[in-house]
Amino acid sequence: MLLVAPLIIILCIFYFYPLLKLFPESLYRDGHLSLENYNHFFRTPLYTFILFRTIRIAAETTILCFLLGYPTAYLMASVRNPRITALMMLCIMLPFFTSILARSYSWIALLQTKGFVNFVLINLGFIERPVRLLYNEYAVLVGMVHIMLPFMILPIYSVLRNIDTRLVKAARNLGANSREAFIRITFPLSLPGIGAGVMITFILALGFYITPALLGGPSTLMMSTLIDQQVNRLGDWEFAGAIVVVLLASTILIVSIFDKLVGLDKIYK
Amino acid sequence: MNPSAPQEKRILLIGFVTLILFFLILPTLMVIPMSISETRYLVLPPKGFTLKWFLQFFTDPRWLGPTLLSLRVALFSAVLSVVLGTLASLALVRGRLPGKRVIYIMLMSPMMIPVIVIGFAAYGMFVRFHLIGTTIGIVLAHCIICIPFSVVVISANLQRVDISLELAARNLGASARQAFFRITIPSIKPGIFAASLFCFVESLDELIMTMFIIGTTKMTLPLRIFTEIRFRISPVIAAASTVFVIVATLAIVISTYIDKKK
């Protein structure tokens, strides 16, 4: 079949070939073949720290999204009234379709010193004067959870919705209480949805750029903002190439771990 | 066992989820009051009512130019991604292709690899083909990002279409081309619509690929918003963001409509 050919050709020229070239090109420093770029990355504590921070923030985002997303998906799957389901779906889809930039801007307005969150905290008496909520790791985390949450809820919901309710009823009939029925029936059956949600969230969070760039500060550099800094501010493409390879390698490593555990095909369904 | 316990748990769950839904929806909708209030930021209670930020958004060439460019790019990228995605889906679902799984994962991979990695890698190629700063270049860059969505949606739709309809048409004397345009295309229309919508919205919001490809003479809407947030924080951003919320609402309305028709 030649139908897939045009797409493959375009992707090969502008995507696969450049990706394959990344590694050999990252081995050059000032035109000479060397491991200097990688040496520089792994010998400088700041850079390895940024790599670990990126993985940590991605993991924190994923855990928070799961803790908030699972109950939401669970309730949505168990609601009988189609209007309420539709309303809940709207609350999830509207942010999902709205520009990430627009939502980041909203968070800046909410979290700034004179913003809504400080206003509420002062009026509730939790704090006496405005605190600095922006440009730190917490702001990045809040913004990322807000953006990733729909990616966690939707796959879990689609699995939960299709679980045969008779299984749960049978378990209850056979003497299980609601908690046992959840732990032994519903939760294990929803694992494929959880796997897909966790995988998408973690992978996207790993390469996230906009939120750390806008809600984070200089002390919250992540891999993608570090690449941006090296390219656009310092113009060091050779060193940036090595960071790109490290980010790409970490992503591929994590994707293949998930592929073993969950199966990649799951996320397309 | 206390019989009211499950009921209490349920109420707790409902309360918790309601808070989560507020967390999702409030920051999304908050740009609307911000875009029509006189003050730079949302002050409580909101002060004044004005449409001047919208007026500036729709008249100031610094905003209008990038908006028109973004709309044009989004339209082209949606069309190109959907045409290429439809062809690829046909080959993947209907064709006898060796290594289908590998090709499928290859086509999906732009969804998983960080966009900044793709942008960084592709930059050199775009330079070599003199595509930096051209509309075609930006469209092509957006297509790489949009392709996975297009292939996922359209091939899923194609999988549900009964192949015996096409075979019947062929049996009744239709040429391969006739069967394709009269049977196959109409039956995957919902998938094509949904994919176009997805790609359009995705391209309209694309920032990172654009940053690498755009050069110095052009500006897209997301790039304008990004630079404004970083250096100026003008209230026009709220007006632009409101336009994005309206686009999202339209996208949901249209996709619900497509779903109902199915």
Side-chain angles (χ1 to χ4, degrees), chain A residues 15 99-100 106 112 146 265, chain B residues 24 27 41 101 109 125 205:
Chain A
Y15 174 66
S99 159
I100 294 173
S106 251
Q112 59 160 337
H146 187 241
D265 315 48
Chain B
L24 274 171
Y41 274 130
R101 187 182 137 87
S109 64
M125 269 305 167
D205 190 32

Side-chain angles (χ1 to χ4, degrees), chain A residues 2-263:
Chain A
L2 289 171
L3 291 173
V4 76
L7 187 50
I8 296 282
I9 291 169
I10 289 180
L11 285 183
C12 279
I13 297 174
F14 293 104
Y15 174 66
F16 291 117
Y17 175 63
L19 279 187
L20 290 176
K21 249 180 23 174
L22 276 177
F23 181 63
E25 279 186 350
S26 69
L27 293 175
Y28 282 89
R29 184 77 220 172
D30 304 322
H32 297 291
L33 197 63
S34 78
L35 280 173
E36 183 46 38
N37 292 321
Y38 292 98
N39 242 333
H40 186 41
F41 184 88
F42 287 108
R43 288 274 167 79
T44 313
L46 173 69
Y47 296 137
T48 44
F49 188 72
I50 289 174
L51 175 63
F52 286 121
R53 177 196 287 145
T54 307
I55 296 172
R56 178 169 49 79
I57 292 181
E60 286 166 357
T61 306
T62 311
I63 293 169
L64 281 172
C65 280
F66 173 72
L67 294 178
L68 301 179
Y70 196 91
T72 312
Y74 180 83
L75 184 68
M76 197 153 71
S78 67
V79 164
R80 296 271 169 278
N81 186 338
R83 282 213 185 137
I84 293 178
T85 315
L87 184 69
M88 293 178 80
M89 205 54 169
L90 185 72
C91 290
I92 294 158
M93 293 313 277
L94 196 62
F96 186 71
F97 274 115
T98 300
S99 159
I100 294 173
L101 284 160
R103 289 194 275 155
S104 303
Y105 175 68
S106 251
W107 279 111
I108 293 175
L110 281 170
L111 296 177
Q112 59 160 337
T113 323
K114 289 177 196 154
F116 182 74
V117 175
N118 265 315
F119 176 87
V120 171
L121 288 178
I122 289 172
N123 276 285
L124 290 178
F126 285 121
I127 49 175
E128 288 198 352
R129 67 193 59 167
V131 285
R132 202 177 134 93
L133 298 166
L134 262 181
Y135 311 121
N136 56 41
E137 224 177 275
Y138 296 108
V140 174
L141 205 57
V142 168
M144 283 177 63
V145 169
H146 187 241
I147 285 158
M148 295 304 171
L149 197 48
F151 290 95
M152 181 70 86
I153 296 175
L154 294 172
I156 297 179
Y157 168 67
S158 86
V159 170
L160 279 176
R161 197 185 44 178
N162 290 321
I163 290 178
D164 192 340
T165 47
R166 285 175 305 181
L167 288 173
V168 181
K169 280 191 192 130
R172 296 297 301 275
N173 261 343
L174 293 169
N177 62 32
S178 61
R179 189 175 143 171
E180 278 168 343
F182 175 77
I183 292 172
R184 314 252 320 239
I185 308 286
T186 314
F187 190 75
L189 284 174
S190 64
L191 278 174
I194 297 173
V198 165
M199 172 153 102
I200 300 172
T201 311
F202 197 90
I203 293 167
L204 290 181
L206 212 54
F208 229 71
Y209 173 75
I210 294 174
T211 317
L214 292 179
L215 301 181
S219 61
T220 54
L221 273 180
M222 286 173 71
M223 288 298 272
S224 49
T225 39
L226 178 65
I227 294 167
D228 172 55
Q229 188 195 54
Q230 292 297 325
V231 172
N232 291 323
R233 256 181 250 159
L234 306 172
D236 192 345
W237 281 76
E238 288 178 324
F239 181 50
I243 310 173
V244 166
V245 171
V246 173
L247 176 58
L248 179 62
S250 334
T251 310
I252 293 175
L253 182 74
I254 287 164
V255 169
S256 43
I257 292 173
F258 274 117
D259 188 27
K260 284 272 180 308
L261 292 177
V262 199

Side-chain angles (χ1 to χ4, degrees), chain B residues 15 34 76 115 194 244:
Chain B
M34 276 163 67
F76 288 145
V115 186
F244 270 116

Side-chain angles (χ1 to χ4, degrees), chain B residues 171-189:
Chain B
N171 258 344
L172 294 169
S175 66
R177 177 198 294 247
Q178 278 175 323
F180 176 71
F181 282 107
R182 309 269 295 262
I183 306 289
T184 317
I185 290 289
S187 52
I188 56 169
K189 234 194 220 160

Side-chain angles (χ1 to χ4, degrees), chain B residues 95-156:
Chain B
R96 273 186 221 103
L97 226 55
K100 258 188 199 175
R101 187 182 137 87
V102 176
I103 294 183
Y104 201 67
I105 287 182
M106 275 165 65
L107 293 183
M108 289 306 111
S109 64
M111 207 155 66
M112 286 174 276
I113 293 175
V115 186
I116 199 155
V117 171
I118 304 176
F120 182 90
Y123 175 77
M125 269 305 167
F126 280 83
V127 172
R128 197 175 301 174
F129 284 88
H130 303 290
L131 289 168
I132 300 293
T134 62
T135 308
I136 304 174
I138 306 171
V139 168
L140 214 55
H142 286 193
C143 272
I144 297 175
I145 305 299
C146 293
I147 283 298
F149 298 100
S150 158
V151 174
V152 165
V153 174
I154 296 171
S155 61

Side-chain angles (χ1 to χ4, degrees), chain B:
Chain B
M1 207 178 75
N2 179 5
S4 73
Q7 207 56 42
E8 272 167 24
K9 267 189 214 154
R10 181 95 182 152
I11 289 166
L12 226 84
L13 177 68
I14 292 173
F16 183 57
V17 171
T18 311
L19 283 179
I20 295 169
L21 293 179
F22 271 120
F23 164 75
L24 274 171
I25 199 79
L26 279 188
T28 314
L29 295 179
M30 214 195 53
V31 291
I32 300 171
M34 276 163 67
S35 69
I36 50 173
S37 80
E38 297 257 6
T39 38
R40 301 200 110 215
Y41 274 130
L42 187 69
V43 194
L44 289 172
K47 284 194 194 88
F49 171 81
T50 176
L51 286 176
K52 66 180 170 193
W53 312 125
F54 279 98
L55 193 70
Q56 195 182 339
F57 176 74
F58 284 112
T59 52
D60 186 345
R62 278 177 56 251
W63 286 95
L64 190 63
T67 307
L68 293 178
L69 177 65
S70 278
L71 284 174
R72 206 162 54 226
V73 166
L75 195 67
F76 288 145
S77 328
V79 171
L80 190 60
S81 320
V82 167
V83 170
L84 293 174
T86 308
L87 295 178
S89 306
L90 282 168
L92 285 170
V93 177
R94 290 289 149 84
R96 273 186 221 103
L97 226 55
K100 258 188 199 175
R101 187 182 137 87
V102 176
I103 294 183
Y104 201 67
I105 287 182
M106 275 165 65
L107 293 183
M108 289 306 111
S109 64
M111 207 155 66
M112 286 174 276
I113 293 175
V115 186
I116 199 155
V117 171
I118 304 176
F120 182 90
Y123 175 77
M125 269 305 167
F126 280 83
V127 172
R128 197 175 301 174
F129 284 88
H130 303 290
L131 289 168
I132 300 293
T134 62
T135 308
I136 304 174
I138 306 171
V139 168
L140 214 55
H142 286 193
C143 272
I144 297 175
I145 305 299
C146 293
I147 283 298
F149 298 100
S150 158
V151 174
V152 165
V153 174
I154 296 171
S155 61
N157 193 171
L158 199 58
Q159 245 142 20
R160 285 194 304 267
V161 174
D162 192 353
I163 196 168
S164 53
L165 280 178
E166 284 162 57
L167 297 176
R170 293 299 301 276
N171 258 344
L172 294 169
S175 66
R177 177 198 294 247
Q178 278 175 323
F180 176 71
F181 282 107
R182 309 269 295 262
I183 306 289
T184 317
I185 290 289
S187 52
I188 56 169
K189 234 194 220 160
I192 290 179
F193 267 127
S196 322
L197 199 68
F198 243 83
C199 296
F200 185 84
V201 173
E202 182 69 21
S203 163
L204 206 59
D205 190 32
E206 213 295 317
L207 173 76
I208 301 159
M209 280 302 264
T210 317
M211 287 203 303
F212 281 96
I213 310 302
I214 190 120
T216 47
T217 51
K218 280 195 165 68
M219 188 61 121
T220 62
L221 183 55
L223 202 53
R224 168 61 72 211
I225 296 180
F226 188 71
T227 34
E228 290 280 322
I229 293 180
R230 271 195 152 173
F231 301 112
R232 226 183 315 253
I233 306 259
S234 100
V236 187
I237 305 167
S241 303
T242 304
V243 172
F244 270 116
V245 175
I246 294 168
V247 169
T249 314
L250 284 177
I252 292 172
V253 170
I254 296 170
S255 57
T256 322
Y257 179 71
I258 296 170
D259 266 354
K260 284 228 173 93
K261 266 183 99 179
K262 258 194 284 189

